Amino acid sequence: PEFVWTAALSGFTISVCMMICACCFCGRCASAAHTVEEAAECLMMTPSLLLEPFLSFVIKVPVFVLGCLVFIMLIGSGEYTQSVDLTQPQSLFHPDSFTSVSAVYFLFAWLLVMELLHYISIFVVIYVAEVWFFKHFKKTERAGFCEMCGVKLLVKGFLAAMQHLGSLIFAAMCLALLRPIRWAVKAFLMAEEAASFTEVGTCILKVARWAVDLCFSFIQKVLDLTSQVALMQIAIDGSEGYCSSLEYAMD
């Protein structure tokens, strides 16, 4: 059948493209494979790292649920000039200016706390992995830490994160500021798209929304990656702040 030949030719084309990419980026593929092997060896020698995602989840869930409840309570507060109709959910939300500002402020603080917990989790993993690396290659005095049990090593990583809490807050604030801006711009473009009366205008707004969302997504990924690089340098050195560590690591 015709679709069989189409599938075969498509598969052959994809295979050729992958082979060409593998030949052109052979060094990067070998480096990536070596990194995966080192990560697997680190997990085998320090299995306590597998506990960290579970502990992070246990901490984040209550914070997330509590934040949702408080935010709903804030936007549901205010002066009610008419009776509440449970069949119309919009009648439940009549916040005044004070409660609106409080809800926006709380939303930012809530996002900041969630991002901070995320970066504390990342820093603990980085710290434990670097301790393993230093012991494995016998390059620094931190090697003695690896003789501690896994849970104590995680606690040590958490205490190290508390020593660099300012840098972690700065990294979290960058993303906490970016997310609301991205949501606001996206909501504005969606509202303009819904209010458009022409197909051409709707199409242009769709393309603009897609392009803006793509740009914000790229900026968010770059910020997250550079923050992780800075945290790696902070965990190694321990004496520099976020910006100095990021500049040194990027050099």
mmCIF file with all atom_site columns, all heavy atoms in Angstrom, residues 2 151 186 203 220 225:
data_model
loop_
_atom_site.group_PDB
_atom_site.id
_atom_site.type_symbol
_atom_site.label_atom_id
_atom_site.label_alt_id
_atom_site.label_comp_id
_atom_site.label_asym_id
_atom_site.label_entity_id
_atom_site.label_seq_id
_atom_site.pdbx_PDB_ins_code
_atom_site.Cartn_x
_atom_site.Cartn_y
_atom_site.Cartn_z
_atom_site.occupancy
_atom_site.B_iso_or_equiv
_atom_site.pdbx_formal_charge
_atom_site.auth_seq_id
_atom_site.auth_comp_id
_atom_site.auth_asym_id
_atom_site.auth_atom_id
_atom_site.pdbx_PDB_model_num
ATOM 1  N N   . GLU A 1 2   ? 0.258  2.344  -0.417 1.00 0.00 ? 2   GLU A N   1
ATOM 2  C CA  . GLU A 1 2   ? 1.012  3.583  -0.564 1.00 0.00 ? 2   GLU A CA  1
ATOM 3  C C   . GLU A 1 2   ? 1.509  4.115  0.771  1.00 0.00 ? 2   GLU A C   1
ATOM 4  O O   . GLU A 1 2   ? 2.631  4.623  0.871  1.00 0.00 ? 2   GLU A O   1
ATOM 5  C CB  . GLU A 1 2   ? 0.118  4.620  -1.233 1.00 0.00 ? 2   GLU A CB  1
ATOM 6  C CG  . GLU A 1 2   ? 0.835  5.940  -1.513 1.00 0.00 ? 2   GLU A CG  1
ATOM 7  C CD  . GLU A 1 2   ? -0.069 6.925  -2.219 1.00 0.00 ? 2   GLU A CD  1
ATOM 8  O OE1 . GLU A 1 2   ? -1.203 6.547  -2.573 1.00 0.00 ? 2   GLU A OE1 1
ATOM 9  O OE2 . GLU A 1 2   ? 0.369  8.072  -2.397 1.00 0.00 ? 2   GLU A OE2 1
ATOM 10 N N   . VAL A 1 151 ? 20.843 10.548 54.947 1.00 0.00 ? 151 VAL A N   1
ATOM 11 C CA  . VAL A 1 151 ? 19.937 11.557 55.478 1.00 0.00 ? 151 VAL A CA  1
ATOM 12 C C   . VAL A 1 151 ? 20.726 12.733 56.053 1.00 0.00 ? 151 VAL A C   1
ATOM 13 O O   . VAL A 1 151 ? 20.362 13.906 55.843 1.00 0.00 ? 151 VAL A O   1
ATOM 14 C CB  . VAL A 1 151 ? 19.017 10.942 56.549 1.00 0.00 ? 151 VAL A CB  1
ATOM 15 C CG1 . VAL A 1 151 ? 18.125 12.006 57.160 1.00 0.00 ? 151 VAL A CG1 1
ATOM 16 C CG2 . VAL A 1 151 ? 18.171 9.830  55.944 1.00 0.00 ? 151 VAL A CG2 1
ATOM 17 N N   . LYS A 1 186 ? -0.166 37.411 28.170 1.00 0.00 ? 186 LYS A N   1
ATOM 18 C CA  . LYS A 1 186 ? -0.943 36.384 27.482 1.00 0.00 ? 186 LYS A CA  1
ATOM 19 C C   . LYS A 1 186 ? -2.439 36.631 27.637 1.00 0.00 ? 186 LYS A C   1
ATOM 20 O O   . LYS A 1 186 ? -3.209 36.488 26.673 1.00 0.00 ? 186 LYS A O   1
ATOM 21 C CB  . LYS A 1 186 ? -0.572 35.002 28.031 1.00 0.00 ? 186 LYS A CB  1
ATOM 22 C CG  . LYS A 1 186 ? -1.177 33.846 27.253 1.00 0.00 ? 186 LYS A CG  1
ATOM 23 C CD  . LYS A 1 186 ? -0.655 32.521 27.776 1.00 0.00 ? 186 LYS A CD  1
ATOM 24 C CE  . LYS A 1 186 ? -1.242 31.364 26.976 1.00 0.00 ? 186 LYS A CE  1
ATOM 25 N NZ  . LYS A 1 186 ? -0.726 30.048 27.465 1.00 0.00 ? 186 LYS A NZ  1
ATOM 26 N N   . CYS A 1 203 ? -6.195 36.398 13.420 1.00 0.00 ? 203 CYS A N   1
ATOM 27 C CA  . CYS A 1 203 ? -5.023 35.621 13.018 1.00 0.00 ? 203 CYS A CA  1
ATOM 28 C C   . CYS A 1 203 ? -3.733 36.294 13.470 1.00 0.00 ? 203 CYS A C   1
ATOM 29 O O   . CYS A 1 203 ? -2.821 35.639 13.979 1.00 0.00 ? 203 CYS A O   1
ATOM 30 C CB  . CYS A 1 203 ? -5.037 35.435 11.506 1.00 0.00 ? 203 CYS A CB  1
ATOM 31 S SG  . CYS A 1 203 ? -3.683 34.429 10.885 1.00 0.00 ? 203 CYS A SG  1
ATOM 32 N N   . GLN A 1 220 ? 12.456 32.314 30.220 1.00 0.00 ? 220 GLN A N   1
ATOM 33 C CA  . GLN A 1 220 ? 12.292 31.563 31.471 1.00 0.00 ? 220 GLN A CA  1
ATOM 34 C C   . GLN A 1 220 ? 13.267 30.396 31.550 1.00 0.00 ? 220 GLN A C   1
ATOM 35 O O   . GLN A 1 220 ? 13.881 30.159 32.595 1.00 0.00 ? 220 GLN A O   1
ATOM 36 C CB  . GLN A 1 220 ? 10.849 31.056 31.564 1.00 0.00 ? 220 GLN A CB  1
ATOM 37 C CG  . GLN A 1 220 ? 10.542 30.293 32.837 1.00 0.00 ? 220 GLN A CG  1
ATOM 38 C CD  . GLN A 1 220 ? 9.073  29.882 32.896 1.00 0.00 ? 220 GLN A CD  1
ATOM 39 O OE1 . GLN A 1 220 ? 8.200  30.571 32.374 1.00 0.00 ? 220 GLN A OE1 1
ATOM 40 N NE2 . GLN A 1 220 ? 8.803  28.760 33.519 1.00 0.00 ? 220 GLN A NE2 1
ATOM 41 N N   . LEU A 1 225 ? 18.227 28.015 33.674 1.00 0.00 ? 225 LEU A N   1
ATOM 42 C CA  . LEU A 1 225 ? 19.523 27.366 33.426 1.00 0.00 ? 225 LEU A CA  1
ATOM 43 C C   . LEU A 1 225 ? 20.665 28.165 34.035 1.00 0.00 ? 225 LEU A C   1
ATOM 44 O O   . LEU A 1 225 ? 21.545 27.586 34.698 1.00 0.00 ? 225 LEU A O   1
ATOM 45 C CB  . LEU A 1 225 ? 19.726 27.197 31.921 1.00 0.00 ? 225 LEU A CB  1
ATOM 46 C CG  . LEU A 1 225 ? 21.060 26.555 31.499 1.00 0.00 ? 225 LEU A CG  1
ATOM 47 C CD1 . LEU A 1 225 ? 21.183 25.155 32.077 1.00 0.00 ? 225 LEU A CD1 1
ATOM 48 C CD2 . LEU A 1 225 ? 21.189 26.530 29.979 1.00 0.00 ? 225 LEU A CD2 1
#
